[in-house]
Amino acid sequence: FGASSDRGNVVFGIEYSKREKIMQGDRSFSECPIYENADGSLYCGGSGTSYPGQFGGRILVNEKIVPFVTADHGFNFARYSYMVTPQEVWSTYANGRFDLVQESKFGTMTAIMEGVWSNRQSDQLMAAVGTFWQPLVPASNPYNPAGEDVNVARRLFETGGRASTQDASSWRLITGLEGEYNNGWNWDLTYDYGRWVDTRVHYGFINVPRVNTILDPDLCAATAGCPGVWDPFRVDTLTQEFQDYIQVDHSPVQRSQLTSLQFNLAGDFGDFELPGGPVQWVAGLEHRSEEALFLPDGAGALGMIYFVSPDKTEGKYSVDEFY
């Protein structure tokens, strides 16, 4: 949309888009991770953090302990991960200018404005988290088929995957004045403000100490609220009660901001010319400040969630520049 007159013009635009998900398993070229044999042949493999869990290069199949073979027992994480993420996006754009002074003994002056805003709501999905740190399962665990202490790498398939929802918005506004003196010099004074905020919620992540607790009968017995001892060596054993105990949803916040005030002046030395034409010059100054923040939520800040950094990241600076 737009309108114009002999003193100015304005343009406004709006856009909306929506796309659906595509899983990696929906396409033949991405449906599984490709591994290579020593002879160069390829095969469909998977993660060593398997479902059910492997322990020391072994895995329980039909109640028999067999060697873990990636081609047979690897967990195909690609099948349960997005290749194209679903998202919904709104965005707007506006641009305008208006001649405040079209002619005077000093020159001209025009007001200018440009603004953009966008909002994206999207989802991400990866395959379920696993016990990537390979926690100890003691021989006292009644479900331990090895009869000795082992470390288990088990995909927590029952949780449904690591999911995230995002609501991210960004704004930018530029406003100011520009003009031309009657001697031909040009000038502009602008203020620039931009801000980006990303709020999100992550699902399907786990509390490491609590996983260790449900694997060890002694720890479980000594811990209030422990729902029982878990069997990671078989499928469909991570019940909802176990999931409620070990899962931790978290919602970090990310944001950044920019402000800038700038003045520029350009002209020439009038009648002082060289063979190539008038000698021109330009000068300007700017004050600019920027800041950014990543803030984990309480559980993340305590270091309770696997794969989540507990550290807040924050910084800002401001500069004055001229040329």
Side-chain angles (χ1 to χ4, degrees):
F1 309 89
S4 62
S5 69
D6 59 347
R7 297 191 67 177
N9 60 75
V10 62
V11 175
F12 175 76
I14 186 169
E15 179 179 358
Y16 170 76
S17 66
K18 182 179 181 179
R19 75 181 185 200
E20 303 295 340
K21 68 181 180 183
I22 299 178
M23 303 296 293
Q24 293 184 35
D26 293 337
R27 298 292 184 267
S28 60
F29 59 81
S30 59
E31 63 184 357
C32 70
I34 302 300
Y35 285 66
E36 184 176 0
N37 289 311
D39 61 3
S41 60
L42 304 178
Y43 66 94
C44 184
S47 170
T49 304
S50 56
Y51 179 68
Q54 70 145 316
F55 49 100
R58 298 168 291 170
I59 191 170
L60 191 67
V61 178
N62 296 325
E63 294 302 314
K64 294 182 179 180
I65 298 177
V66 299
F68 178 87
V69 179
T70 300
D72 298 329
H73 309 125
F75 179 75
N76 183 359
F77 51 83
R79 183 181 301 165
Y80 307 102
S81 302
Y82 284 158
M83 179 172 66
V84 174
T85 59
Q87 67 175 21
E88 194 169 3
V89 180
W90 285 94
S91 60
T92 60
Y93 168 81
N95 181 292
R97 56 190 299 115
F98 184 77
D99 292 335
L100 299 173
V101 179
Q102 290 185 310
E103 186 176 349
S104 72
K105 63 180 180 179
F106 298 106
T108 64
M109 183 167 63
T110 300
I112 59 173
M113 184 278 295
E114 178 180 325
V116 294
W117 170 85
S118 68
N119 174 261
R120 171 176 54 85
Q121 298 183 33
S122 56
D123 298 319
Q124 291 80 39
L125 179 66
M126 296 174 60
V129 70
T131 60
F132 301 119
W133 68 99
Q134 297 192 25
L136 178 71
V137 182
S140 58
N141 184 309
Y143 307 107
N144 186 339
E148 60 183 356
D149 292 353
V150 294
N151 296 91
V152 65
R154 207 264 203 186
R155 190 69 60 153
L156 307 185
F157 181 75
E158 298 92 335
T159 63
R162 287 163 285 177
S164 301
T165 63
Q166 288 179 292
D167 191 337
S169 296
S170 60
W171 307 262
R172 189 182 183 201
L173 174 67
I174 302 173
T175 184
L177 301 170
E178 64 181 20
E180 181 176 352
Y181 295 115
N182 287 330
N183 63 359
W185 292 7
N186 297 292
W187 62 272
D188 63 76
L189 174 67
T190 57
Y191 174 74
D192 186 348
Y193 172 81
R195 183 175 175 85
W196 172 75
V197 178
D198 181 336
T199 56
R200 60 181 66 191
V201 181
H202 297 293
Y203 305 93
F205 288 76
I206 54 174
N207 182 316
V208 171
R210 288 195 170 188
V211 173
N212 295 336
T213 296
I214 61 176
L215 290 173
D216 188 323
D218 293 335
L219 281 176
C220 183
T223 304
C226 177
V229 179
W230 175 46
D231 173 11
F233 304 100
R234 296 166 179 84
V235 300
D236 296 328
T237 58
L238 193 68
T239 64
Q240 189 62 52
E241 189 177 17
F242 282 125
Q243 293 180 47
D244 293 341
Y245 182 70
I246 67 172
Q247 281 191 291
V248 183
D249 300 333
H250 63 110
S251 51
V253 174
Q254 300 179 58
R255 69 170 185 252
S256 62
Q257 180 174 297
L258 161 73
T259 57
S260 170
L261 181 65
Q262 187 177 109
F263 178 74
N264 298 285
L265 182 65
D268 59 43
F269 289 107
D271 295 334
F272 177 67
E273 297 188 11
L274 296 176
V279 177
Q280 297 178 320
W281 56 267
V282 62
L285 56 88
E286 178 186 25
H287 172 78
R288 185 178 71 256
S289 62
E290 298 190 45
E291 60 182 75
L293 169 70
F294 168 76
L295 182 66
D297 72 356
L302 292 173
M304 296 171 59
I305 309 172
Y306 191 70
F307 266 167
V308 175
S309 170
D311 299 324
K312 178 176 75 170
T313 304
E314 183 177 20
K316 62 182 179 180
Y317 66 88
S318 62
V319 294
D320 294 292
E321 300 176 337
F322 69 92
Y323 68 94

